[in-house]
Every structure is written in structure tokens, then in C-alpha cells.
Amino acid sequence: MAAARRSAEEADRRLAAGVGGGLLGLPVAVEDSLPRSAFDALVAAGAVVIGRTSGAEVHRNPTTGLPATALDPKVSGTAVAVATGVVSAVLARRAPGAGDVPAGGAGVVGFETSGGRGVVARTVADVAHVVRAIGWAAEPSNRPLRIGVSVRGVAMTTRTRPLMRRVVEDVAALLSLHVNEVVDHDPHLASESRLLLAPHLAAGPRELDLLDRFVPWPLRGICRSMRAAERVMLNHMFTGVDVLVTPGHTGPAETMSLPGGVLVRNGATSPFSPLWRVSGYPAVSVRAGSDADGNPLPVTLIAVPKAEGELLRVAEIIEEERGAHRRP
């Protein structure tokens, strides 16, 4: 609280002195996985940094229509803080994921750059505002875009449920009215996915570097070679497209009654997350529809490096045209 008070006092001082700032007075937070420098970047932009949020997947989804007794401990504290309006935005790592439930599935937007820096906010416009205010490069170009669409991911056994498949198909039809070309990218992904080797595809660079400390040194060279081969294959999956549209997960939550509550089974995120977690490509998760109970259904967009601006532009089209975001 002391740090929040200091940043609020600094915002008041700047306001009284007529000194601006892109985030002047905006209540924001920093995820617990990020260093102190993340605080400094926000304070420099005039934000009121109220503290840290938890990246742990131990929270219930605040946007679900399920009863309070539903057991759904797979949403990060970061997503909950934004979805419930405690803060306007959070600087986060792995922002599109927001735990096992993608950010769009928690009713918020999660954006991550090629360098792994991310923002979670209520809308795509809010994300873009924070990104510009702290000086990240994400300006869209006017070049024609070619959008690829996949419901298969990198796993040959992926089975996207019909409702989630329809959401992706609707998004593809919508984008075909706004961009140069929309193509089915499933055959290309499937032809490459059978070559993926290692079982750690849901991990990110930080976790893989940590894993190196525990792997016996004679095997480290093999592990690194496999990781390098995976990255090359994942990169090759984007041949011919600028942005790839995938389901946020394989389908809406399923429930099972248990003594004392309801067990919630969310769709698996792993068939799609390696495309941005392992490759390091920029990505954004955005709500693209709802199921019959009003629960958010997300899509995840992954772009080639240095196309963060185009990625946000496509996400904003989806958010605006689909009317996916609804303020409480």
C-alpha cells in the first residue's frame, strides 16, 4: 500500500504541475512474476501502481454463469483483478494464457509481444493504450494481411468441439470482410505437427531454461537440439500467413456434479498454446462469442514477429464487430 500511495502522490504532483503521462492516474498492477523495472515503466507513464497480482491458477472464473460452488481453480489472479475492475490493466507474463483458461475466456484481453512482455486489460483499445503509453512498438502498417485459420493446433489428436469451431468459423467469415485474404491453414499445420517431439510444448522459455538446471548434463545437448528443431517447425507453420486464428481452447466448459459442488472441466489449451509459447511469437486472446449460458468463448491470434500492431488491429475488429465485450 505504501508503494501505491507514493505512485498516487506522484500522479497528483504531475497533474498539478501540468506534466502529462499516457497513464496518468490510471490504477494498474504488475504480475508477481515480473521485476521491479515493470513498476518503474508504469510510474514513469503516470500510472497509480496499486500492487502485484498473482499469476497462479487458483481462482474461479468471475465471468462464468456457473454457481458459486463450481470448482474452477484455473484462472490467474491477474485475470480476476482486471475482470472484476480492481485495476484497469496489469503488466503480465504469458498474458494470453491467464492461467489454464485463456484471457478471452475470463472476459478480458491478454496481449503478449515477441519479447514476452504482456498486458491484460478489459478491451483491445485499453491494451493498445497501455502499450503506447509505456513505449512498446505496436503500430499497425497498412500492408495487406493474409489470415490463416486452424482448429487443429499442433496436436494430431486435437478435437475442437462444435460450438468452439463455429465461433472460429464466424470470426474467419468476419475477417474476410476486412483483410486481404483468409485461408484454411489446417492442412499446413497438420503436415508439420507430426514431427513435434518433446512433451514440454506447453512450457515457455523461462520454464525450459529452468529445466536445463535439472536435466543431467550429458542430455542437455539433446534437449536443446530438440527445442531448436521444434522452434524451427513451429516457425515454419506460419509460412504464407501474417496472423493465425485458433480456438482459445477446444470447447466450452463441461460440468459434473460432485458432493458439495460442481466440477468444471475446461477445454484443453495445450493444442494451441505452443504456437506462441514455444515460438515466442506475439499473441492476443480475445473474447469472440458466448455459449448458451453467457460464458465467454475466446479465440487466440498469433502473429509473425514484429507484427504486434497488425495483431491488435485484427483483435479489435473481432471485439468491435462481434460485440464480444460487455461492460458490467
Side-chain angles (χ1 to χ4, degrees):
M1 293 301 295
R5 190 176 298 109
R6 286 195 299 270
S7 61
E9 291 170 351
E10 173 63 14
D12 287 341
R13 185 194 64 77
R14 293 174 64 166
L15 183 63
V19 178
L23 302 179
L24 189 60
L26 195 71
V28 297
V30 176
E31 198 169 75
D32 53 11
S33 59
L34 296 181
R36 175 69 194 185
S37 57
F39 275 89
D40 299 336
L42 292 171
V43 172
V48 177
V49 186
I50 67 171
R52 288 189 178 272
T53 59
S54 170
E57 303 162 5
V58 295
H59 304 275
R60 290 187 175 92
N61 192 334
T63 64
T64 184
L66 297 170
T69 54
L71 306 177
D72 185 14
K74 295 182 179 297
V75 179
S76 71
T78 295
V80 171
V82 175
T84 56
V86 174
V87 293
S88 298
V90 178
L91 291 193
R93 182 177 280 115
R94 283 195 185 181
D100 275 357
V101 177
V108 297
V109 178
F111 168 71
E112 186 165 304
T113 68
S114 302
R117 303 172 299 180
V119 175
V120 177
R122 292 297 304 274
T123 68
V124 178
D126 289 348
V127 168
H129 179 72
V130 173
V131 166
R132 286 192 297 267
I134 56 182
W136 294 356
E139 292 300 320
S141 66
N142 292 322
R143 63 187 177 91
L145 291 180
R146 192 167 194 256
I147 307 292
V149 180
S150 172
V151 294
R152 291 280 299 272
V154 298
M156 294 294 291
T157 57
T158 298
R159 296 292 181 268
T160 300
R161 298 171 195 160
L163 182 57
M164 191 73 249
R165 182 183 291 268
R166 285 197 295 273
V167 168
V168 175
E169 291 171 350
D170 288 346
V171 166
L174 166 66
L175 293 178
S176 67
L177 304 176
H178 294 269
V179 302
N180 184 54
E181 188 176 5
V182 177
V183 298
D184 178 11
H185 212 55
D186 265 335
H188 188 75
L189 290 181
S191 66
E192 299 294 332
S193 63
R194 66 189 67 191
L195 298 176
L196 295 172
L197 303 174
H200 56 245
L201 287 176
R206 189 182 185 198
E207 286 76 12
L208 296 178
D209 290 341
L210 183 63
L211 182 64
D212 278 347
R213 302 180 187 179
F214 300 98
V215 174
W217 70 264
L219 301 178
R220 290 181 184 177
I222 297 175
C223 289
R224 288 169 182 165
S225 297
M226 291 172 64
R227 284 166 51 188
E230 287 168 356
R231 189 168 288 108
V232 169
M233 286 182 278
L234 287 167
N235 292 348
H236 185 59
M237 289 179 181
F238 287 81
T239 300
V241 298
D242 303 294
V243 177
L244 188 63
V245 179
T246 72
H249 47 58
T250 54
E254 296 177 340
T255 62
M256 178 186 302
S257 296
L258 294 175
V262 177
L263 175 65
V264 179
R265 297 175 57 196
N266 286 285
T269 59
S270 57
F272 312 102
S273 60
L275 291 171
W276 58 274
R277 286 184 172 179
V278 177
S279 68
Y281 281 6
V284 62
S285 173
V286 62
R287 178 177 180 171
S290 304
D291 64 16
D293 296 321
N295 300 313
L297 295 176
V299 293
T300 300
L301 315 177
I302 309 101
V304 295
K306 310 303 181 184
E308 283 86 349
E310 287 76 8
L311 186 66
L312 289 176
R313 176 159 65 93
V314 173
E316 193 164 23
I317 291 171
I318 296 171
E319 186 178 73
E320 290 181 351
E321 299 293 336
R322 294 282 290 166
H325 183 78
R326 297 179 176 85
R327 291 188 181 275

